[in-house]
Amino acid sequence: MVEEYMRIVELNEETKDSLLEKLLKRSPGSYGQYEQAVNEIISQVRSRGDAALSEYTLQFDKCHITAGNIRVTREEIREAYEKVEPAFVEVMKKSAANIIRFHEKQLHNSWIVPNEDGVILGQKISPIAISGVYVPGGKAAYPSSVLMNVLPAKVAGVPRIIMATPPGADGKINPGTLVAADIAGVHEIYKAGGAQAVAAMAFGTESVPRVDKITGPGNIFVALAKKACFGYVSIDSVAGPSEILVLADESANPEYVAADLLSQAEHDEMASAILITDSKELAQAVSKEAARFAGQLSRKDIIEKSLADYGYILLAPNMEKAIDAANEIASEHLEILTKNPFETMTKIKNAGAVFLGEYSCEPLGDYFAGPNHILPTNGTARFFSPLNVDDFMKKTSIISYSKEALSKVHKDIELFAQKEGLTAHANSIKVRFKE
C-alpha cells in the first residue's frame, strides 16, 4: 500500500492557483476538438430531421429507429415495472415526494400593484410551454437524474414534458429510467441519444417536438450540443465532471471523509475529490482510509485515475485560509465536517450544495433529501444556482399608466430619448400630448 494514497499538499497561493487552473481544464469549453463533429450533427438533424436522427442512432447506438418506433409506448413502460424491484419503485416514490415538497417552497405568485396616481405595475409568472430532459444511457442508468430534472418542471406547472434517452441495440430503454420517468410524470419519451437528441429537441423533427428548455446531464458531445443550441433554446447549464470538496477540522471522522471523497471519485476519471483541512493528522488518516476503501469498491480503477489526476488533500495553516480556498474553488458539493458546521457555513459564499455535519453525506443529496442534485460545476457556483422551479418559469412585466400619470413624466421620458438620439421614441410619448 502506498503510504500517501491521496497527495497531501500545503495550501498556499501557488498551490491553490495551480489547482484552480487544473480543475478548470475539465470544463466542456476546453474540448474544442469535438465541436466540429457536434456542429455537423446539429446541422444534419436541423435540416434533415428524422432521417438524420435515425442514421445517427444506427451509427452510435446500433439501433434502427423510425417514426413508428421512436416513441416509448405504454406497453414498454408496463414491461419496465415488471423488471424493476418493487422495493426500488417505492424508494423512488419516496424520493419523488421529498423532491416535490422541497421545490414547492420555491414557487412564486404573480403580483400587480396599483398606485393612486394612475400607475399599475406588476409581474406575471407562467411556466414554459414544453420542457425537454436528456437522460444518459450506456452502461450506467441514473433514475435519480430523471426525478431531479422532471419534478421541478412539474411543480412549475409545465404542461408538456418530454424525455430523450438513447436506446440499447435491442431498442430497449433501461427499465429504471422508464419507471422513474413514469413516476415523475413525463408525458413523452423518445429513443434518441447524444448530440443528435439535443438537436432534435432544440429544433424539432417530424417526430420529436421542439422544446423551450433542455436540461439533464450527458457526455462531452451532449454538453457541447447544449452549448451550441443555447439561444435557440434555453438550457440548464453546460455541466462539467462531478466534484466534491470536504472542509474538515481535527474533529472529523477520517473514515467518513474518505468514504465521501470516493463517492464522487467513482463517477468518472475526471471527477474531482478534494479535502481541505488544518489538521495534518486528519489528512494522513484520510489518505490511508481512502486506500483501504478503494481496494474494496467495484469502480476501483475509475477512483484511482480520478484521485491521481484530480484528488487532493490541501493542508491549510488555519481554518480561515481553508474557508477562503473553499470559496475560491466554489465546489459543486461542499461538505462541512467541523466542530460547529452551522457556524462555518455562515462564512461560505460559493457552493452548489452544502452538507452540514457527519450524517449529511453527499449521496443523501444525490438521491433522497429533496434539494436538486443538478448543480453548478467548474467554479460556476460563484454565479449559478442549482436547477430549480424558476428555471421552468418565465416572468412577464406588466405596465399600465393613465393619461394623468404619463402627463406628469412625459417630458422626462422625451428628454431621455432625445439624449440617446432616439427621436421616434421621444415622438411616441410626445404625440400623446400635442398642444
Side-chain angles (χ1 to χ4, degrees):
M1 183 185 296
V2 180
E3 183 178 349
E4 195 174 285
Y5 184 75
M6 289 186 69
R7 82 195 90 189
I8 301 174
V9 179
E10 296 282 343
L11 175 64
N12 54 46
E13 285 301 315
E14 183 180 351
T15 57
K16 181 180 64 181
D17 290 345
S18 174
L19 171 61
L20 287 169
E21 183 180 359
K22 190 170 186 180
L23 292 178
L24 287 173
K25 285 180 180 176
R26 304 175 310 140
S27 165
S30 302
Y31 291 84
Q33 69 266 36
Y34 301 116
E35 286 183 351
Q36 185 175 347
V38 168
N39 289 337
E40 175 62 20
I41 292 171
I42 293 170
S43 175
Q44 288 294 317
V45 173
R46 188 177 183 184
S47 61
R48 298 174 51 235
D50 277 357
L53 191 57
S54 178
E55 289 169 14
Y56 286 123
T57 304
L58 185 60
Q59 178 182 345
F60 296 123
D61 300 309
K62 313 304 179 192
C63 179
H64 183 58
I65 291 296
T66 66
N69 65 1
I70 190 171
R71 184 170 168 180
V72 171
T73 65
R74 285 305 309 175
E75 180 58 33
E76 287 176 293
I77 293 172
R78 280 192 290 270
E79 289 176 3
Y81 272 98
E82 293 172 3
K83 295 175 182 176
V84 176
E85 184 183 354
F88 183 36
V89 175
E90 290 307 308
V91 168
M92 283 194 277
K93 288 179 179 178
K94 289 178 184 177
S95 175
N98 290 341
I99 295 166
I100 290 170
R101 193 177 302 113
F102 177 85
H103 286 83
E104 282 177 338
K105 297 184 184 301
Q106 298 174 342
L107 283 167
H108 300 290
N109 295 319
S110 299
W111 56 270
I112 193 161
V113 179
N115 296 322
E116 292 180 359
D117 58 2
V119 175
I120 299 174
L121 299 176
Q123 182 172 263
K124 181 174 181 284
I125 301 177
S126 53
I128 62 175
I130 177 169
S131 66
V133 55
Y134 182 84
V135 178
K139 296 177 182 177
Y142 299 105
S144 60
S145 282
V146 177
L147 301 179
M148 293 291 183
N149 276 279
V150 175
L151 290 172
K154 202 77 177 174
V155 170
V158 177
R160 189 179 181 189
I161 303 170
I162 75 164
M163 187 175 94
T165 187
D170 59 358
K172 301 290 186 181
I173 303 297
N174 179 276
T177 298
L178 288 184
V179 171
D182 190 61
I183 290 170
V186 174
H187 298 101
E188 302 154 37
I189 304 169
Y190 295 92
K191 299 174 183 179
Q196 60 273 21
V198 173
M201 290 191 286
F203 298 104
T205 72
E206 297 90 333
S207 298
V208 181
R210 178 179 179 178
V211 304
D212 298 316
K213 181 153 195 160
I214 299 174
T215 65
N219 62 18
I220 188 64
F221 293 96
V222 170
L224 289 175
K226 286 169 68 178
K227 180 182 175 185
C229 292
F230 177 65
Y232 297 100
V233 65
S234 177
I235 63 171
D236 49 354
S237 64
V238 182
S242 187
E243 53 198 36
I244 185 171
L245 191 155
V246 178
L247 189 61
D249 60 19
E250 74 281 358
S251 69
N253 183 322
E255 189 176 23
Y256 295 173
V257 175
D260 295 353
L261 291 170
L262 300 195
S263 75
Q264 293 306 288
E266 78 167 342
H267 266 294
D268 64 62
E269 290 87 347
M270 295 180 71
S272 166
I274 299 169
L275 164 65
I276 307 180
T277 182
D278 58 354
S279 167
K280 186 174 182 180
E281 292 74 18
L282 178 70
Q284 293 171 337
V286 167
S287 179
K288 290 178 181 177
E289 289 294 334
R292 181 175 68 84
F293 276 131
Q296 304 167 3
L297 298 170
S298 61
R299 296 168 71 90
K300 178 185 177 185
D301 291 345
I302 293 174
I303 288 171
E304 294 194 333
K305 183 72 168 73
S306 167
L307 294 181
D309 291 341
Y310 303 107
Y312 289 84
I313 296 176
L314 300 178
L315 192 55
N318 52 58
M319 190 48 62
E320 287 70 28
K321 293 290 185 184
I323 292 169
D324 288 345
N327 279 324
E328 286 200 55
I329 293 170
S331 185
E332 177 188 18
H333 307 99
L334 172 64
E335 288 189 5
I336 300 179
L337 300 174
T338 57
K339 293 188 193 75
N340 191 337
F342 284 88
E343 180 184 354
T344 304
M345 183 264 293
T346 63
K347 301 172 185 176
I348 295 299
K349 298 175 181 148
N350 304 319
V354 179
F355 300 78
L356 301 173
E358 62 182 7
Y359 293 102
S360 304
C361 50
E362 190 278 337
L364 178 66
D366 270 353
Y367 297 116
F368 204 76
N372 211 287
H373 79 195
I374 298 164
L375 304 166
T377 59
N378 282 105
T380 59
R382 292 179 295 114
F383 45 82
F384 280 145
S385 304
L387 189 71
N388 61 82
V389 168
D390 279 354
D391 286 303
F392 301 95
M393 308 290 278
K394 51 197 176 82
K395 301 174 178 70
T396 303
S397 299
I398 298 170
I399 302 166
S400 175
Y401 271 55
S402 67
K403 181 177 181 180
E404 182 183 3
L406 186 60
S407 70
K408 294 177 182 177
V409 297
H410 78 93
K411 289 184 179 178
D412 292 339
I413 302 167
E414 290 167 30
L415 177 62
F416 216 136
Q418 288 161 359
K419 292 301 181 184
E420 291 193 350
L422 300 175
T423 55
H425 278 63
N427 186 60
S428 174
I429 300 288
K430 188 175 182 180
V431 73
R432 286 166 165 78
F433 298 97
K434 290 187 293 188
E435 292 297 332

